[in-house]
Amino acid sequence: MTLIRHNDGVLDAARDCVLAYGVRRTTLTDVARRAGVSRMTLYRRWPDVRSLVADLMTREWVRVLGELDASDPVAAVVGGVRRLREHPLWRKIVEADPDLLLPYLLERRGATHEAVLDTLQRVTGDARKARAVLLVAQSFLLSAPTMLDPGTSGPAGRHPVTLDDLDAELTALLEAYLGQLAERAQEGP
C-alpha cells in the first residue's frame, strides 16, 4: 500500500480548507496557516495541494472503512458505500471538484483501492472476485445519484427510486454473488 505522508494536524487543516473552499481554491499557504506550520514544512512532504489532498482522501476513506465490521462482507460493503456517500469531504469533492476523482476511476488505483482490495481478497479468497465487488460498490457510490427519480413520484406515478432502494439492490447483488462464491467454495474444485 502507498505510504501516507501522515501528519494529522496538517491533514485536519487541509480537510477544513477543502470543506471551506474546495480543492481548486485551497492553497498550501492556506493549509500551512491553518495548521500553524510554515509553507516549507508542507513543501518538504507534499509538492502540491493535489498530493496533500490525495493523502487526506486516503486517510478519511480508510478511516471510514476501518470502522466497518468485515465479518459480514455484504453489510460492510453496503455500509461503506453509504458512509462514503454521506462523508462531508466526499460530498464536497463530488460537488466542487469531481475531476479530482477521475485518475482513480480511469487511470490507476489509489491507496484506498489497495486497502479495500486487500480486505475483499481476504473475504472472497480471490483477487478477481475482490476487484469485481469493488467495481460494483464503486459504481453504486459514484453513479447512484444519477439513478434517482427527481421529485416525489417516479415514472407514471410509481414510488420514486431512492438511495435506500439502490442500497437494497446493491445488497441483493452482493448477497447473490458472494453467496454463490461461498457455495462454490463448499463444493470444492
Side-chain angles (χ1 to χ4, degrees), residues 20-126:
Y21 314 124
V23 175
R24 279 186 290 243
R25 293 182 49 214
T26 294
T27 66
L28 286 179
T29 301
D30 296 330
V31 175
R33 185 177 305 120
R34 196 172 286 236
V37 299
S38 72
R39 283 184 320 171
M40 287 314 298
T41 298
L42 295 186
Y43 281 115
R44 280 188 215 109
R45 294 185 181 178
W46 297 278
D48 54 33
V49 169
R50 282 192 178 257
S51 62
L52 173 58
V53 171
D55 283 348
L56 171 62
M57 290 188 308
T58 298
R59 181 191 75 170
E60 295 293 312
W61 310 159
V62 169
R63 276 185 180 172
V64 166
L65 300 173
E67 295 169 357
L68 300 170
D69 179 5
S71 67
D72 181 348
V74 171
V77 170
V78 175
V81 167
R82 185 177 293 127
R83 297 223 16 232
L84 285 171
R85 191 186 300 134
E86 295 167 353
H87 194 286
L89 183 65
W90 175 263
R91 292 174 56 170
K92 182 66 172 190
I93 289 170
V94 168
E95 291 169 11
D97 300 293
D99 57 305
L100 187 66
L101 301 172
L102 286 176
Y104 305 107
L105 298 173
L106 302 174
E107 298 168 8
R108 64 184 179 86
R109 291 193 306 249
T112 304
H113 286 117
E114 296 299 337
V116 172
L117 285 172
D118 287 346
T119 300
L120 288 172
Q121 188 166 339
R122 283 193 304 276
V123 169
T124 63
D126 185 311

Side-chain angles (χ1 to χ4, degrees), residues 132-186:
V133 170
L134 178 55
L135 285 169
V136 168
Q138 189 170 273
S139 71
F140 273 77
L141 172 62
L142 291 164
S143 299
T146 66
M147 295 296 119
L148 301 177
D149 290 323
T152 57
S153 66
R158 288 177 278 175
H159 174 74
V161 174
T162 66
L163 287 174
D164 288 339
D165 295 329
L166 293 176
D167 288 347
E169 293 303 315
L170 175 58
T171 299
L173 284 168
L174 293 174
E175 284 175 345
Y177 183 63
L178 294 175
Q180 289 173 355
L181 287 177
E183 288 173 18
R184 284 189 219 148
Q186 289 174 350

